[in-house]
Amino acid sequence: MDRPVKQRLVVVGNGMAGMRTVEELLKLDAGMYDITVFGAEPRVNYNRILLSPVLAGEKQPEDIVLHPRAWYEEHGITLHAGDPVVAIDRRRRVVRARSGLEVGYDRLLLATGSSPFIVPVPGSKLAGVIGFRDLDDVDTMLAAAGRGGHAVVIGGGLLGLEAANGLLRRGMAVTVVHLTDSLMNQQLDPQAALLLKAALERRGLRILLGAQTESILGDDKVEAVRFADGLEVPADLVVMAAGVRPNIALAREAGLYCERAIVVDDTLQTYDPRVYAVGECVQHRKATFGLVAPIWEQARVCAAHLAGRGHRRYVQQATATKLKVTGIDLYSAGDFNGLEGSEDLVLRDRHAGVYKRLVLAGNRVAGAVLYGDVADGPWYFDLIQSGADISAIRDRLLFGPALCEAA
């Protein structure tokens, strides 16, 4: 019996979320669609999470490629790299690329990702002010590092600290600027953040906390950064790592419903039943996403619906954050800021560089922050998710599962 004519799937975005969805779709039904992919970058799909090791010299750009050109060819996927989609005509079901190329679709998958938030201060458009989002940004940083001088990294979250570490290792003097009084305040409690700050300063980073950027100084290119308290720091390069913004302009111009991001339902479908969206550009039940685990789950669910196997639903789940910042292991999960009436169990070993804090609500673990020794993190996360009663092992809880099981 002849196979029905293939449907046309157009994927807008050649990054990790979109291509993971295509991978999952190919596992379910490799012959259902003729697939066309448009990417803004003139490259194949690569692992953005590994940009920091490329910057630090631990990996080469070719080491982080996820899908070489041969993969697209092998699966019959048409790739238009370096030719982003600039318009979607939903009535005609056609996308138009910057080159003028028009391609029709039966299903459309938006995976437009996000862009670095460039702090809107005077001088933010000067040459030498960049984000940290793609391989072009890495090339710009490496060129600056080759000339030496000073770098200012605005943002003391994971991305900012990784950029700072890479530039330091490449020979630049680096100042990290953070608006709040605590590094990585989304992932760490103040005590763990203090330990991290001390460790990074020992490595040679200068860290300014509670510092509000007022302006970036220079004529043709950046020369210094001025803060609200009047302090000025010389800068040959300024890296903005103060968060991201979902890329929703294309969807919004096409008339798709957007709030902070492209609004999707539990099937990753937009308000147009022919259009799906995944990754950092989507908003599901008021939440947006930046970690890999939820985005991979979105890819699985979306692929199931594109393949016509519509039994799966995307459900947001608590996630644990395991990070390695410049060789320092960190782990956080649950509500580590504490709830009303909660109690803390704390272990500190300054000599070993270990800090553990468990937040208990009643006889259950509500949150955990681990610094230096994170081996027990998944066990604590299981306790948080299961809501297990820990009253019988409370006095041994900080020492991990082996002692607790022995009890």
Side-chain angles (χ1 to χ4, degrees):
M1 182 174 162
D2 291 338
R3 172 122 194 174
V5 176
K6 286 185 178 183
Q7 297 184 62
R8 301 163 300 169
L9 173 66
V10 171
V11 183
V12 180
N14 186 35
M16 294 171 69
M19 289 305 95
R20 182 63 171 238
T21 308
V22 170
E23 271 190 352
E24 296 286 345
L25 174 60
L26 293 172
K27 289 180 199 171
L28 294 171
D29 192 335
M32 184 172 180
Y33 290 98
D34 276 326
I35 302 174
T36 303
V37 177
F38 288 88
E41 293 183 65
R43 300 181 177 92
V44 292
N45 178 32
Y46 61 89
N47 189 340
R48 290 183 195 279
I49 298 167
L50 297 178
L51 286 173
S52 298
V54 175
L55 175 62
E58 297 163 3
K59 291 185 180 293
Q60 297 301 310
E62 56 269 24
D63 297 332
I64 69 171
V65 169
L66 291 170
H67 298 109
R69 285 202 176 265
W71 179 85
Y72 296 85
E73 293 165 6
E74 179 188 337
H75 292 93
I77 297 169
T78 303
L79 172 64
H80 299 286
D83 193 13
V85 169
V86 296
I88 300 166
D89 185 333
R90 292 196 294 127
R91 186 181 58 79
R92 293 171 54 222
R93 298 207 297 273
V94 166
V95 301
R96 188 177 78 253
R98 186 170 60 194
S99 64
L101 175 68
E102 289 195 344
V103 175
Y105 66 83
D106 298 296
R107 293 288 183 272
L108 178 64
L109 175 62
L110 300 180
T112 49
S114 62
S115 298
F117 174 62
I118 304 299
V119 182
V121 294
S124 61
K125 291 183 169 35
L126 284 170
V129 179
I130 62 168
F132 183 21
R133 192 64 185 158
D134 56 32
L135 280 167
D136 286 342
D137 294 329
V138 173
D139 289 343
T140 301
M141 289 191 229
L142 292 177
R147 296 188 292 270
H150 293 79
V152 172
V153 178
I154 297 176
L158 174 65
L159 194 64
L161 296 180
E162 288 187 335
N165 176 64
L167 292 168
L168 183 72
R169 290 180 60 173
R170 293 288 188 170
M172 296 192 86
V174 183
T175 299
V176 176
V177 179
H178 196 49
L179 187 59
T180 74
D181 293 325
S182 185
L183 288 175
M184 292 185 64
N185 48 292
Q186 299 293 318
Q187 290 90 14
L188 298 179
D189 68 6
Q191 287 299 315
L194 275 175
L195 292 170
L196 178 61
K197 178 175 181 285
L200 295 175
E201 287 174 333
R202 285 194 296 272
R203 296 178 187 205
L205 288 177
R206 180 187 182 191
I207 296 173
L208 301 178
L209 298 176
Q212 183 171 349
T213 305
E214 185 178 81
S215 59
I216 298 170
L217 309 178
D219 294 324
D220 299 323
K221 65 181 188 65
V222 61
E223 295 173 12
V225 179
R226 177 184 291 151
F227 301 100
D229 62 1
L231 176 69
E232 289 186 11
V233 176
D236 303 288
L237 175 73
V238 173
V239 180
M240 296 275 191
V244 296
R245 295 292 181 269
N247 290 328
I248 62 174
L250 181 68
R252 182 167 271 157
E253 286 164 12
L256 292 169
Y257 181 62
C258 301
E259 292 177 355
R260 282 185 302 147
I262 304 167
V263 175
V264 296
D265 64 14
D266 294 348
T267 71
L268 284 305
Q269 197 176 75
T270 69
Y271 277 48
D272 181 334
R274 291 185 179 271
V275 182
Y276 292 77
V278 291
E280 293 185 341
C281 64
V282 310
Q283 177 179 321
H284 174 262
R285 296 178 184 256
K286 301 298 181 184
T288 55
F289 306 89
L291 297 174
V292 166
I295 291 173
W296 274 190
E297 179 61 18
Q298 289 175 13
R300 281 190 287 271
V301 173
C302 185
H305 287 274
L306 286 170
R309 304 181 188 185
H311 60 283
R312 302 193 75 158
R313 294 291 182 270
Y314 177 64
V315 178
Q316 292 178 37
Q317 296 181 335
T319 55
T321 307
K322 183 180 181 183
L323 307 167
K324 188 182 282 287
V325 180
T326 67
I328 301 162
D329 288 312
L330 309 167
Y331 189 99
S332 63
D335 190 344
F336 57 81
N337 290 315
L339 308 157
E340 188 174 342
S342 64
E343 301 174 82
D344 290 354
L345 298 183
V346 178
L347 181 152
R348 283 190 186 88
D349 184 339
R350 291 188 185 280
H351 181 71
V354 172
Y355 169 81
K356 293 183 176 184
R357 175 168 161 261
L358 303 178
V359 178
L360 305 186
N363 292 318
R364 289 167 175 73
V365 181
V369 176
L370 311 180
Y371 176 100
D373 177 4
V374 301
D376 296 333
W379 183 64
Y380 292 129
F381 185 52
D382 285 345
L383 291 177
I384 292 168
Q385 285 198 300
S386 67
D389 187 325
I390 51 84
S391 50
I393 56 172
R394 179 190 168 104
D395 59 339
R396 302 176 184 221
L397 200 57
L398 282 167
F399 303 101
L403 272 177
C404 291
E405 285 163 10

